[in-house]
Amino acid sequence: MRYNTLFILITAALGGSFLAGCNSSSSSSSDPVAVVDEKPEPIVEEEPEPIVEEEPEPIVEDEPESIVDKTIKLSVLGQYQSGIYGKSAAEIVAFDAESKRAFVVNASSGEVDVLDMSNPAVPSKMSTINVSDLGGDANSVAVKNGLVAIAVEADNKQDNGFVAFYDVDGIRLNVVKAGALPDALTFSPDGRYVLVANEGEPNDEYTVDPEGSITIIDLKDGKNPDVLDPIVKTANFRAFNGQEDELRGQGVRIFGPGASAAKDFEPEWIEVSSDSKTAYVSLQENNAIAVVDIEKAEVTDILPLGFKDWSADGKWSGKGFDASDRDGGINIRHWPVLGMYQPDTIRLYEVNGKRYILTANEGDARDYKGWTEEFRVKNLQLDPDAFPNAEELKGDDNLGRLKVTSTLGLSDKSDSRCDPSDSSTVKKYCVYDKLYAYGAR
């Protein structure tokens, strides 16, 4: 998902309350009193009154007079607008605290805009970093310790792209070759490594499908990076070639026409552990996350994300979802559909020695001129045993307009000529007893 307004700056305030008290003191004085000697009166001893034990009064604990409100309150401080609408003119933002500058990928121009953030209430554009001489557009930007890294795709997206290094003034320091279609990139927490997700998308005819990979640029020292002579390594997926069926059995999607695992995996986003030793890479189309040993430049594992059951029996189905954009209203309900998580951006969260991955489950289909997996439910044949109300479900006000993949959920009632890798056979010969949609919550 790409947005056109650059970003909104916010301030956070931690609400709270406190008790205020005061100390008081008092003083008293009395007039002098004359002392008169009088005869003492006789002492009469009275009978003691009986002692009556009373029931103790119940102890009532008062409510605390003040409970700290830990709600984070956000408010707009300032914003910058590119003036370009509907063309992804502000996509990725990286901020350098020392120079007080923000670096913004302008996908409309293919450049990186540099904003002066010294007054965050009034951010302003101060310059632009032009990377057009390297080939294609800038896809991502990151900054650490005054060093700016920009991922640049080649003019032909299936060729290897580049990572260009700049100082905060926009002066180019070096250019390093990356893999095909470098997308997201990030610095490791210690500043030593720059990691790049090379997506490796096929061409529109689906006749050329480069391998996806991760470029690891070792700057040797995070505080004093050797940007002029870094060590560049590539972590690829070739070790998983030949394991495609096993991976599919675990829930990993490998489905491009004739593609091996190495060609089918498409790295999308990268997060790095706090010790700068391990990277986690989202493989969006494959509905999985790759684990990378950074020092060895080796993919050590592929973690399938599974599927979300949107039916009433689904563990995390909640109230369901609205499946149609043509029913004239909001119709959130459960459906006989499975969702593929397919995260784009991911974030790594570590607490008490455990790592958690937060995923933005955007969902994405392979839909190219030469081949597509994307079909609307109303255009598919549904297994009557699995969907006894198939004709009702295929209505536009139900599931009819929902887009699903043709590569999963095939029924044994499918004709032998059904081949999802050949899109022309899907409507004629394929029958589905399960439906898999894109994205989930």
Side-chain angles (χ1 to χ4, degrees):
M1 188 72 70
R2 296 185 174 183
Y3 302 92
N4 309 306
T5 300
L6 176 57
F7 58 87
I8 296 177
L9 299 174
I10 55 177
T11 57
L14 183 63
S17 59
F18 62 92
L19 291 175
C22 62
N23 294 323
S24 63
S25 61
S26 62
S27 62
S28 63
S29 62
S30 58
D31 292 330
V33 179
V35 179
V36 180
D37 289 332
E38 295 182 354
K39 289 184 179 181
E41 293 190 8
I43 299 173
V44 179
E45 293 186 359
E46 298 179 357
E47 293 291 326
E49 294 184 6
I51 299 173
V52 179
E53 293 186 359
E54 298 181 357
E55 292 291 326
E57 293 186 7
I59 298 173
V60 179
E61 293 185 359
D62 294 334
E63 292 293 323
E65 295 185 41
S66 174
I67 299 176
V68 175
D69 180 6
K70 294 185 178 180
T71 303
I72 295 176
K73 299 175 182 178
L74 306 178
S75 60
V76 177
L77 176 61
Q79 61 179 331
Y80 164 83
Q81 298 212 12
S82 65
I84 301 172
Y85 180 76
K87 294 183 180 180
S88 299
E91 187 172 4
I92 307 293
V93 180
F95 176 69
D96 180 59
E98 185 173 348
S99 65
K100 295 182 175 57
R101 295 177 184 179
F103 300 84
V104 186
V105 172
N106 186 330
S108 176
S109 66
E111 301 171 333
V112 173
D113 294 334
V114 184
L115 305 186
D116 179 1
M117 300 288 294
S118 56
N119 181 0
V122 190
S124 60
K125 182 177 175 181
M126 58 187 299
S127 62
T128 296
I129 299 176
N130 190 327
V131 296
S132 61
D133 62 307
L134 296 177
D137 297 336
N139 287 330
S140 187
V141 62
V143 61
K144 188 145 183 110
N145 299 330
L147 182 62
V148 182
I150 302 175
V152 185
E153 66 184 46
D155 192 39
N156 179 344
K157 291 184 180 181
Q158 284 67 53
D159 291 340
N160 289 335
F162 307 92
V163 174
F165 289 98
Y166 296 81
D167 64 17
V168 292
D169 294 319
I171 298 174
R172 184 180 294 175
L173 305 175
N174 196 8
V175 177
V176 175
K177 186 168 286 190
L181 192 57
D183 195 349
L185 86 169
T186 188
F187 283 87
S188 60
D190 64 5
R192 174 176 172 176
Y193 300 99
V194 174
L195 293 93
V196 192
N198 303 309
E199 196 165 0
E201 285 185 350
N203 63 354
D204 200 36
E205 292 74 23
Y206 222 110
T207 55
V208 179
D209 186 9
E211 292 185 359
S213 63
I214 299 96
T215 297
I216 300 171
I217 303 171
D218 185 353
L219 301 172
K220 304 172 187 175
D221 187 334
K223 294 182 179 179
N224 298 290
D226 186 357
V227 70
L228 298 179
D229 188 28
I231 300 170
V232 182
K233 299 179 181 179
T234 300
N236 58 48
F237 297 93
R238 294 171 192 167
F240 297 93
N241 287 344
Q243 302 180 38
E244 288 83 359
D245 289 341
E246 179 183 349
L247 290 167
R248 291 187 189 103
Q250 297 171 5
V252 179
R253 298 188 72 214
I254 301 174
F255 61 97
S260 63
K263 288 188 175 183
D264 207 69
F265 288 142
E266 295 185 7
E268 191 83 26
W269 194 271
I270 298 181
E271 283 288 291
V272 181
S273 61
S274 59
D275 60 8
S276 299
K277 293 182 178 180
T278 306
Y280 298 87
V281 183
S282 62
L283 308 175
Q284 184 173 23
E285 286 78 4
N286 311 101
N287 197 35
I289 291 177
V291 183
V292 180
D293 183 315
I294 296 176
E295 186 176 1
K296 294 180 180 179
E298 178 183 338
V299 180
T300 59
D301 204 357
I302 305 293
L303 307 176
L305 295 176
F307 308 98
K308 179 164 184 171
D309 183 354
W310 283 111
S311 73
D313 297 327
K315 184 177 181 181
W316 304 105
S317 61
K319 299 292 185 181
F321 70 101
D322 190 342
S324 176
D325 59 352
R326 296 289 175 87
D327 58 357
I330 299 173
N331 184 21
I332 298 176
R333 51 169 286 193
H334 295 107
W335 300 96
V337 172
L338 296 170
M340 301 176 286
Y341 289 98
Q342 296 186 300
D344 184 337
T345 301
I346 62 175
R347 292 297 188 194
L348 188 64
Y349 178 68
E350 299 182 45
V351 61
N352 296 330
K354 292 185 178 181
R355 293 174 183 169
Y356 300 88
I357 298 174
L358 285 69
T359 63
N361 305 314
E362 179 186 26
D364 196 10
R366 285 180 176 154
D367 184 24
Y368 296 90
K369 180 180 178 181
W371 179 77
T372 184
E373 61 162 317
E374 188 177 73
F375 290 83
R376 295 191 188 275
V377 171
K378 66 181 179 182
N379 296 323
L380 298 178
Q381 297 183 59
L382 303 185
D383 187 327
D385 293 332
F387 303 102
N389 59 336
E391 291 308 310
E392 178 186 356
L393 289 175
K394 291 168 75 170
D396 278 356
D397 56 347
N398 291 313
L399 291 180
R401 291 186 53 77
L402 182 68
K403 294 179 180 180
V404 296
T405 180
S406 62
T407 65
L408 294 172
L410 286 168
S411 166
D412 56 11
K413 294 183 176 65
S414 297
D415 188 280
S416 59
R417 289 169 288 184
C418 166
D419 181 7
S421 66
D422 180 354
S423 303
S424 65
T425 72
V426 170
K427 295 180 183 180
K428 285 184 179 181
Y429 305 119
C430 298
V431 180
Y432 293 86
D433 57 15
K434 290 182 180 179
L435 299 172
Y436 290 82
Y438 306 98
R441 292 197 303 273

